[in-house]
Amino acid sequence: MKKIDEYQGKKVLVMGFGISGINAAHLLVKLGANVTANDKATPKNNDIVDDLEADGIKVITGDNPISLANEGFDVVVKNPGIPYDNPLVAAFVKQGIPIITEAELGWQIFDGHLVSVTGSNGKTTTTTLTQLMIAENAKHQVKYAGNIGISFSKIAEDLGPDDTLVTELSSFQLLGAPTIHPHIAIITNIFSNHLDYHKTRENYINAKLNITRNQTKDDFLVINWDRDEWQKIAQRSQATIVPFSRLNKSHEGSYVEDGMIYWRGQEVMPTKDIRLIGPQNVENALAAIAAAKLSGVTNDAIKKVLTTFSGVRHRLQYVMEYQERLFYNDSKSTDIEATEVALQGFDRPVILLAGGLDRGYTFERLVPYFKKHVKAMIVFGECKDKMKDAGNQAGVPVIESENAITAVPEAWKLSEPGDVILLSPANASWDQFPSFEVRGDKFIEAVEELTGKKEQ
């Protein structure tokens, strides 16, 4: 951990009691700050408040009182999910008070080698693969943290100058990380996500580009080269550009040609040997390979990881095989693009479980994928009628169900040996579940109840 004194004697407000917010509050106390912690909700677990107060932190829950804007805070550390049009946040913006996220705080105290990953899809898998690859050859600690569910600042506290940290960073985190400076940055792809938060696509892209904003030519930006737009986005970075391309559009980094993965002209391994399925996971592997090779990782270490790693939970996760049916949990597919790439990963008939929160869009884009890959559909949630319309356009049999749990036995009735039963909702979970993780866990529990087996 790097010793810093910029928070000594400063008055800091931490907004949000998520894992990162709680860790940030305790860290700020160690750094000499006078800390107030605020959450709009009242925690069900009183231990959270007790622990904060025991560390000398003033705690305010149940509201974001606008009066806090007049208490002379020097810095605000904001939960990334709290929007900037929140009245209290907006008041701080108007006053010109710095508003950062916990990722910025983590960067400020980190003293080692930073690799950071962002993108619309594939962040968590790419982060995990990169960490595993670098760790295979490393003589020092290699950890991961960030949007992957582990506090950046908490891990950074325990790492030294020779250690490596691979961080997954969302657009929300990057908006509040003005000085973050990874030596290797990865952009997996950029689609049109979170526009309810960012308002415009350009705002969303600008937030993503904060990952490379402070890089120089001595740093590296690993970026997907398979769309013209992403190539143009790369021109906005001062870093040395390292492309990766599943479609063989560049040989300057990692790429695929005739079923073989190459790194700058050198064979690495066949794509068919990657244990993860689907074209999106070939792209994730290419991104991780580029970062790993830039970090000095051997081909043998890369092969070991890619031939054994079976996936991150809820991200096209293989659950089990039962009576010649394969079950996959892709609950993290909360948008159309993710379900498109998931379906392309299978050469068997798919019974698709899809639906969820109605965000106002329709699903005509999925019709060609339904025609090619889907044998039958079980739809549920707020948008089930729109999802059903797309299935009908594709000529696919569609059955309605209450949710992703009740859909499991319905899918089983429609299946035959050789089929895939896939939860890939193409929608957020919030109409019926508090998170995509809960939705995925409940799906797995329903599969286990159906089969009498535990996930593999």
Side-chain angles (χ1 to χ4, degrees):
M1 172 177 165
K2 185 190 302 181
K3 301 294 183 182
I4 62 173
D5 59 10
E6 59 190 89
Y7 294 102
Q8 185 69 43
K10 295 290 180 67
K11 193 170 183 180
V12 182
L13 175 66
V14 176
M15 291 184 66
F17 282 5
I19 294 172
S20 60
I22 292 169
N23 288 331
H26 289 297
L27 172 60
L28 286 160
V29 171
K30 295 178 186 176
L31 297 175
N34 178 5
V35 181
T36 297
N38 168 234
D39 196 286
K40 190 172 184 178
T42 301
K44 296 179 181 178
N45 184 354
N46 289 331
D47 291 345
I48 294 174
V49 173
D50 292 343
D51 289 346
L52 290 168
E53 291 179 339
D55 210 9
I57 297 167
K58 181 181 178 181
V59 178
I60 300 170
T61 64
D63 189 16
N64 296 140
I66 197 69
S67 59
L68 287 171
N70 302 315
E71 293 199 8
F73 288 105
D74 298 296
V75 179
V76 175
V77 180
K78 180 184 74 68
N79 181 292
I82 301 173
Y84 286 83
D85 56 9
N86 171 287
L88 180 56
V89 176
F92 288 126
V93 170
K94 186 175 182 180
Q95 294 177 45
I97 294 171
I99 300 172
I100 64 173
T101 59
E102 181 264 351
E104 172 74 6
L105 183 61
W107 160 246
Q108 290 171 354
I109 66 164
F110 182 55
D111 198 25
H113 307 285
L114 183 63
V115 180
S116 293
V117 181
T118 196
S120 298
N121 295 321
K123 295 186 295 296
T124 300
T125 299
T126 301
T127 299
T128 306
L129 288 172
T130 302
Q131 186 269 334
L132 290 171
M133 290 177 186
I134 296 175
E136 278 293 320
N137 284 154
K139 296 179 180 179
H140 301 280
Q141 292 189 82
V142 182
K143 303 290 187 180
Y144 59 57
N147 197 51
I148 203 165
I150 302 171
S151 169
F152 185 158
S153 60
K154 180 65 174 176
I155 298 298
E157 282 189 71
D158 299 326
L159 298 180
D162 295 321
D163 298 325
T164 297
L165 183 58
V166 184
T167 57
E168 176 186 330
L169 299 175
S170 70
S171 58
F172 305 155
Q173 290 172 306
L174 286 166
L175 264 181
T179 72
I180 199 163
H181 185 167
H183 178 51
I184 301 172
I186 300 173
I187 298 179
T188 60
N189 45 57
I190 298 181
F191 299 111
S192 293
N193 287 6
H194 306 302
L195 298 191
D196 51 343
Y197 187 102
H198 294 288
K199 309 306 180 188
T200 68
R201 178 174 171 78
E202 185 60 24
N203 287 344
Y204 176 59
I205 291 172
N206 287 336
K208 290 293 189 187
L209 284 175
N210 278 348
I211 200 170
T212 187
R213 197 78 65 191
N214 298 306
Q215 288 189 302
T216 70
K217 62 181 177 59
D218 296 324
D219 303 307
F220 301 98
L221 174 61
V222 176
I223 186 167
N224 196 323
W225 215 246
D226 285 344
R227 292 196 181 188
D228 291 344
E229 182 195 24
W230 301 337
Q231 295 178 24
K232 291 176 182 177
I233 286 172
Q235 297 173 12
R236 296 164 66 176
S237 172
Q238 298 302 309
T240 297
I241 303 302
V242 180
F244 68 91
S245 175
R246 179 176 60 86
L247 303 180
N248 195 19
K249 292 193 173 183
S250 172
H251 289 186
E252 295 180 17
S254 52
Y255 60 96
V256 175
E257 186 173 48
D258 297 329
M260 179 66 68
I261 293 175
Y262 292 86
W263 166 252
R264 293 178 172 172
Q266 178 191 47
E267 286 189 4
V268 178
M269 63 182 292
T271 57
K272 66 180 178 60
D273 291 345
I274 299 174
R275 184 169 182 186
L276 296 172
I277 68 167
Q280 79 280 16
N281 279 317
V282 174
E283 294 179 7
N284 296 336
L286 289 169
I289 287 169
K293 297 301 289 185
L294 292 169
S295 302
V297 176
T298 65
N299 286 353
D300 286 343
I302 289 169
K303 292 175 190 175
K304 180 179 178 181
V305 171
L306 289 177
T307 56
T308 57
F309 181 67
S310 59
V312 178
R313 194 169 181 85
H314 309 302
R315 292 158 175 84
L316 207 53
Q317 171 201 359
Y318 172 70
V319 179
M320 69 174 67
E321 180 176 355
Y322 181 69
Q323 295 187 7
E324 299 183 55
R325 282 83 157 175
L326 301 178
F327 291 86
Y328 281 86
N329 165 30
D330 194 33
S331 185
K332 181 59 172 68
S333 283
T334 57
D335 56 41
I336 291 173
E337 290 87 0
T339 297
E340 285 178 353
V341 295
L343 289 172
Q344 292 176 75
F346 296 101
D347 55 10
R348 299 178 176 219
V350 174
I351 311 292
L352 177 65
L353 283 59
L357 183 72
D358 189 346
R359 283 175 161 159
Y361 50 75
T362 55
F363 301 95
E364 287 85 359
R365 273 182 52 186
L366 287 171
V367 169
Y369 300 93
F370 292 167
K371 287 181 177 179
K372 185 174 181 179
H373 299 281
V374 176
K375 174 180 178 177
M377 294 172 57
I378 318 292
V379 299
F380 46 80
E382 286 182 356
C383 68
K384 65 182 179 183
D385 290 338
K386 293 178 179 177
M387 189 64 74
K388 185 177 182 179
D389 287 343
N392 289 337
Q393 290 177 48
V396 173
V398 182
I399 293 176
E400 295 184 17
S401 193
E402 183 179 347
N403 54 44
I405 303 166
T406 59
V408 171
E410 297 287 354
W412 178 259
K413 292 175 186 175
L414 297 174
S415 70
E416 297 175 315
D419 289 349
V420 169
I421 296 176
L422 168 67
L423 172 66
S424 188
N427 293 275
S429 62
W430 302 318
D431 59 332
Q432 296 179 318
F433 301 94
S435 67
F436 72 82
E437 292 96 339
V438 172
R439 178 171 62 188
D441 288 339
K442 294 295 184 183
F443 167 76
I444 292 172
E445 289 174 10
V447 172
E448 291 174 343
E449 182 176 345
L450 173 77
T451 64
K453 297 174 64 177
K454 292 292 185 182
E455 67 177 288
Q456 299 174 5

